[in-house]
Amino acid sequence: MIGSNLITGTILLSLTGPGIGGNFFLLVKHVHIFVMGPKKKPIDLILIHLAFANAMTLCIRALSEVISAFHFSNVLGNFGCKATIYLRRVARGLSICTTCLLTLVQAGTISPRITFQRKLKPWTAWQVLSCLLFFWIFNFFISSNLLHYITTVNSMNRSEIGPYIVSCYLLPSKQVVKWLFLSLMALRDIIFQSLMGWSSGYMALHLYNHHKRVLYLQSFRFTKKASPEIRATQSTLILMTCFLFFYWADFIFSFYIGSTLKNDSVMLSITLFLELSYASLSPFILMGRDSTWLTAGTFTEKLRKVFSALTPLISKGI
């Protein structure tokens, strides 16, 4: 028991700490670019939203584990149970939708103007805001059943219902309601992951053709310096690959645990690692490909400039 708690705590600290910090820096950077830049780029809004959704995932998961580890179950109460699990589900959905939107926008950015991918791309910040608002409303709706069926258990017979997390329990629901919301979540995941795969396949083909043209036109000495668009495309492809890997690995392990009904500590630790890995690694993948942000010796200076620029805006209430 002590060993499993130690493993869980190690995974939690090693992923949530750097992950929250990385998402915070990514969010601050793109807020600064969006607010101070001469042109409001849609990609900055998407990255702000992705960083926020991932930070939300990490914070809620960490809160749940801390409450469980220190036996603060009574602190949550009925409202706390509903809010924690509901927002955790919503954050997961927002991460899927935003990652898909990022791949679509990046595919549209590198496409010729006459192609279908280019027409799909939102060209203004207001169009992106509309998409993000739709994501929030949609994910709020398809997770709304949790607000009714998640509860703490006081006088009820606990043997009749299954635990969800900590002291929160999932009440039995009608089969129609259960399959309706499961179908909506499955449909969301299938649609957005299919769009992700389609746009990522297009970007991979574009990068391959671009690489062949560069090798043909230039010497190898000049091919080492990729354009900002190519670096952004590579980052998006790496991000999408990580997302799909962790998503499906988490799904397989979670399905195995759910079907066998065994709360094996090792399996639970693996699912915790898979659930948090994408949210923790994604900001470092995006910043690691941005040479203007992580150039040696300039990171601290850029961060100082970001906070200096945001301080007067925050003081004015913007």
Side-chain angles (χ1 to χ4, degrees):
M1 187 69 178
I2 297 177
S4 63
N5 289 337
L6 181 61
I7 294 173
T8 301
T10 302
I11 293 173
L12 196 67
L13 288 174
S14 61
L15 290 178
T16 56
I20 292 172
N23 281 293
F24 173 75
F25 288 135
L26 185 68
L27 188 148
V28 168
K29 173 200 171 183
H30 287 282
V31 166
H32 171 253
I33 294 174
F34 184 78
V35 172
M36 305 301 295
K39 186 178 180 181
K40 310 302 182 186
K41 295 182 179 179
I43 196 73
D44 291 316
L45 268 182
I46 296 171
L47 292 174
I48 289 168
H49 191 261
L50 181 62
F52 178 79
N54 288 335
M56 183 176 166
T57 299
L58 293 168
C59 289
I60 293 173
R61 194 67 168 94
L63 177 63
S64 301
E65 292 296 331
V66 168
I67 290 173
S68 177
F70 291 96
H71 305 287
F72 291 154
S73 303
N74 295 330
V75 174
L76 279 180
N78 197 40
F79 175 79
C81 274
K82 293 179 185 293
T84 301
I85 298 173
Y86 179 68
L87 291 176
R88 178 176 160 187
R89 179 77 66 82
V90 169
R92 176 183 176 277
L94 290 174
S95 183
I96 294 174
C97 296
T98 311
T99 303
C100 175
L101 182 61
L102 179 64
T103 59
L104 288 173
V105 169
Q106 191 58 46
T109 300
I110 64 174
S111 301
R113 291 187 179 275
I114 59 174
T115 60
F116 179 64
Q117 292 91 337
R118 192 80 167 185
K119 295 177 181 178
L120 278 179
K121 177 186 174 182
W123 287 102
T124 67
W126 287 111
Q127 290 176 328
V128 170
L129 281 175
S130 300
C131 291
L132 298 179
L133 180 61
F134 169 75
F135 293 161
W136 278 92
I137 295 172
F138 179 63
N139 284 287
F140 274 149
F141 172 72
I142 65 173
S143 301
S144 60
N145 64 316
L146 295 176
L147 295 176
H148 178 72
Y149 292 105
I150 290 293
T151 184
T152 53
V153 179
N154 295 319
S155 59
M156 298 182 64
N157 185 359
R158 296 190 182 193
S159 63
E160 296 178 358
I161 55 179
Y164 205 82
I165 62 165
V166 199
S167 63
C168 304
Y169 287 76
L170 181 63
L171 297 173
S173 60
K174 295 180 180 179
Q175 290 298 316
V176 174
V177 174
K178 177 182 177 181
W179 286 108
L180 172 63
F181 285 95
L182 284 176
S183 299
L184 285 173
M185 286 190 293
L187 186 64
R188 176 200 62 191
D189 291 0
I190 291 171
I191 290 174
F192 282 97
Q193 290 191 56
S194 298
L195 288 172
M196 250 190 268
W198 169 69
S199 56
S200 298
Y202 174 83
M203 287 189 288
L205 181 62
H206 178 86
L207 287 179
Y208 175 73
N209 292 331
H210 174 269
H211 182 65
K212 287 199 304 183
R213 286 195 300 269
V214 169
L215 287 178
Y216 179 75
L217 296 173
Q218 298 180 345
S219 67
F220 179 77
R221 180 164 57 100
F222 294 103
T223 61
K224 292 182 179 180
K225 294 183 179 180
S227 66
E229 292 79 10
I230 295 301
R231 287 200 303 269
T233 303
Q234 291 169 342
S235 298
T236 305
L237 281 173
I238 296 171
L239 194 69
M240 186 279 306
T241 303
C242 287
F243 175 84
L244 292 179
F245 170 77
F246 288 120
Y247 174 89
W248 284 105
D250 181 36
F251 174 82
I252 291 169
F253 277 95
S254 297
F255 181 80
Y256 172 79
I257 292 173
S259 60
T260 59
L261 299 177
K262 293 181 180 179
N263 290 327
D264 182 76
S265 59
V266 175
M267 297 297 291
L268 292 175
S269 297
I270 292 174
T271 56
L272 175 64
F273 173 79
L274 294 172
E275 181 182 344
L276 298 180
S277 290
Y278 173 75
S280 179
L281 293 176
S282 59
F284 299 102
I285 293 173
L286 292 168
M287 290 191 295
R289 300 293 304 177
D290 189 349
S291 60
T292 63
W293 178 249
L294 288 178
T295 303
T298 64
F299 179 77
T300 304
E301 180 64 21
K302 287 180 180 292
L303 191 60
R304 185 188 65 78
K305 290 180 179 179
V306 167
F307 280 108
S308 298
L310 289 178
T311 299
L313 295 174
I314 295 173
S315 63
K316 293 178 182 179
I318 297 179

